[in-house]
Amino acid sequence: MTADFLAVRGIRKSFGQIEVLHGVDLDLPAGTITALLGENGAGKSTFVRILAGDHMPDGGTISVDGAVASFRGVGDARAAGIRLIAQEIADAPTLSVAENILLGAWPTRAGLVDYRSMRELARQALEMLGTELPLEAKVASLRLGERQIIEIARSTIGASKCIIFDEATAALSDAEARKLFQLIRRLAGRGVAILYITHRLDEVFALADRVCVLRDGRVSLDSAAGDVTQDQVIEAMVGRAVAYARHAVPPSTDAPPVLKATGLGSASFSDVSFALRPGEILGVYGKVGSGVQELSSSLVGARAFDEGTLYVEGSPRHFRHPADAIAAGIGHLSADRAADGLLRTMTLAENLSAPSWGRLARRGFVNRRKLRQAYCRWHRTLHIKAAASGEQLITELSGGNQQKVLLGRWLEAGSKILVLSEPTRGVDVGARQEIYRVLAGLAAKGHAIVVATSDYEDITAVASRALVMVRGRMVAEIPYERISTEALTEAAGGGVHA
């Protein structure tokens, strides 16, 4: 029988008067892969931050190799061999790839940094991942998926005995995800205990030996992966069976397009043409590197396009800044919610009303009462699970509810055209279905929506029509009646396989 590297018993944690973990037990045997699932707000992040030394538990014990341990900080957990690869990337953008991979552990010689050894160690770490990156390149110049690889490579430096992966494939291409799965299996084969946090159930059953589910701060399921079904896992997560439904309906083709692209091109994509009409949800599907996210950024002025024409309400437009797109009635959700969307030190009301501050101001000062009223207008409509006052900090909400607040931002601003990049990234099963229902409801009221995503479920759930991109080019247009996972993955060249 495999010995437990990490044994957790009765872990409790409160923030203020609210207890978020109510006595969690979990065993992480050496050489096994355990999937940890749960809805946003179930306590997963708090739990793994305790394991990583970021938080101190209020009760319970953590045993490492049979001995009770006490982590007073991240350094203690690292010394015990525990590494967390967090969902939100924590790198140093102005430093090189090699410097980031060895961050906190730069080799020295005669009191000076040994850059030759650093580059060699970084190269070896990337080689273990089965990938290559330019070691001298500044991290700020890399795309999100490449920065995620650097985080993963850093975790392999040193004597790691337990590695926690938090939504590790969210920003990876199919090829990168396959390499990650291979690496995780190799690490487990060498005796490393793996805790793998994901919302993707296909990844769980492709990778994990065991499945643990948290619901409302308690373990609701702990089982061998082969002994449970996907439906049982979902029910353990949400407390009920979840019915998957297709929310979109085919739009009327009579209305003139409100957003039209003809021959758009840039360094990342070429010859992209489409027309978006009121009441339509246009899915643009493609994996990392396909050009989908670069295209969506160009539609909202965050990235320039060099060729072609973009029409809004029939008029040619060339946005030089996102503010130009906002003024034209286009709202945008960025794929990187934490970096580009959230005003982290501000309340829900302040976040939701941010583009409308000028309209809601009085004599040059923001009117707090009007901000609260703006939040209340959308709190119930979007089913935001938070206090109706809007006074909470947005960082206190789960990812799905943060996304709803950001969506409300553009509805309050009166945007009739929405460009949504990876709208359900990091969002759990139940919240996904809520977001899909909201989007379908907005389309029914006449909003025109672009969903630019690498997640086939977003397309199959809400798209009225789907465009597929591969290596910067549109390779297929799939009508409503033919949209399916199989059609999308076939057009895109296949999906992630175990």
Side-chain angles (χ1 to χ4, degrees), residues 153-467:
R154 188 186 303 139
S155 74
T156 66
I157 302 295
S160 297
K161 295 182 180 179
C162 175
I163 301 179
I164 303 168
F165 293 87
D166 188 359
E167 297 289 348
T169 61
L172 300 185
S173 67
D174 282 345
E176 291 164 345
R178 284 193 290 270
K179 289 176 182 176
L180 174 63
F181 291 170
Q182 292 166 3
L183 169 70
I184 288 174
R185 293 191 185 99
R186 286 200 299 272
L187 291 170
R190 295 175 186 175
V192 177
I194 304 292
L195 184 60
Y196 189 84
I197 302 167
T198 183
H199 290 305
R200 299 303 303 268
L201 297 182
D202 54 345
E203 294 181 354
V204 171
F205 290 99
L207 195 62
D209 302 306
R210 294 195 64 80
V211 179
C212 178
V213 176
L214 289 184
R215 185 172 77 242
D216 298 328
R218 295 180 173 85
V219 175
S220 60
L221 177 71
D222 187 358
S223 173
D227 293 342
V228 291
T229 65
Q230 179 169 308
D231 287 344
Q232 288 172 321
V233 171
I234 293 172
E235 188 164 351
M237 289 171 62
V238 302
R240 64 186 189 282
V242 174
Y244 286 90
R246 191 170 181 189
H247 298 278
V249 295
S252 167
T253 57
D254 297 335
V258 292
L259 187 68
K260 182 179 179 180
T262 58
L264 291 190
S266 74
S268 303
F269 56 86
S270 61
D271 197 25
V272 172
S273 299
F274 65 83
L276 175 69
R277 292 176 168 80
E280 182 177 26
I281 301 178
L282 176 64
V284 184
Y285 175 78
K287 292 302 182 180
V288 175
S290 65
V292 166
Q293 295 309 319
E294 291 82 357
L295 172 63
S296 68
S297 294
S298 293
L299 297 179
V300 297
R303 182 187 293 260
F305 57 85
D306 307 316
E307 301 173 347
T309 307
L310 183 67
Y311 298 88
V312 179
E313 301 281 4
S315 300
R317 304 296 295 263
H318 199 110
F319 304 134
R320 299 184 182 278
H321 189 275
D324 298 336
I326 294 170
I330 301 176
H332 177 226
L333 291 189
S334 168
D336 193 345
R337 178 173 63 238
D340 302 327
L342 303 182
L343 303 174
R344 301 180 65 84
T345 61
M346 294 189 176
T347 66
L348 304 182
E350 290 168 332
N351 267 272
L352 185 141
S353 59
S356 306
W357 283 352
R359 176 172 54 82
L360 299 175
R362 185 176 181 180
R363 296 177 182 174
F365 294 94
V366 174
N367 187 309
R368 311 293 300 183
R369 181 177 59 82
K370 288 188 176 181
L371 295 193
R372 289 192 295 271
Q373 289 174 343
Y375 174 76
C376 288
R377 270 193 286 275
W378 301 106
H379 171 262
R380 183 175 298 177
T381 299
L382 297 176
H383 305 287
I384 299 169
K385 294 179 181 176
S389 67
E391 292 302 311
Q392 281 178 272
L393 288 177
I394 195 164
T395 50
E396 296 177 8
L397 267 61
S398 65
N401 285 294
Q402 289 176 350
Q403 197 75 314
K404 292 176 192 175
V405 172
L406 297 183
L407 183 57
R409 174 182 290 177
W410 302 114
L411 301 179
E412 175 62 26
S415 302
K416 298 298 289 184
I417 302 170
L418 301 173
V419 178
L420 314 181
S421 301
E422 304 289 358
T424 63
R425 174 174 287 170
V427 173
D428 63 64
V429 173
R432 273 175 177 256
Q433 295 300 311
E434 288 185 0
I435 288 174
Y436 295 152
R437 282 193 289 271
V438 167
L439 295 183
L442 293 174
K445 293 177 181 177
H447 284 78
I449 303 171
V450 175
V451 172
T453 182
S454 59
D455 191 328
Y456 57 79
E457 188 179 330
D458 290 348
I459 304 295
T460 58
V462 297
S464 313
R465 180 165 52 97
L467 304 176

Side-chain angles (χ1 to χ4, degrees), residues 54-75:
D54 274 347
H55 295 321
M56 290 282 290
D58 297 327
T61 60
I62 300 173
S63 298
V64 177
D65 284 332
V68 174
S70 178
F71 302 149
R72 299 188 178 278
V74 174

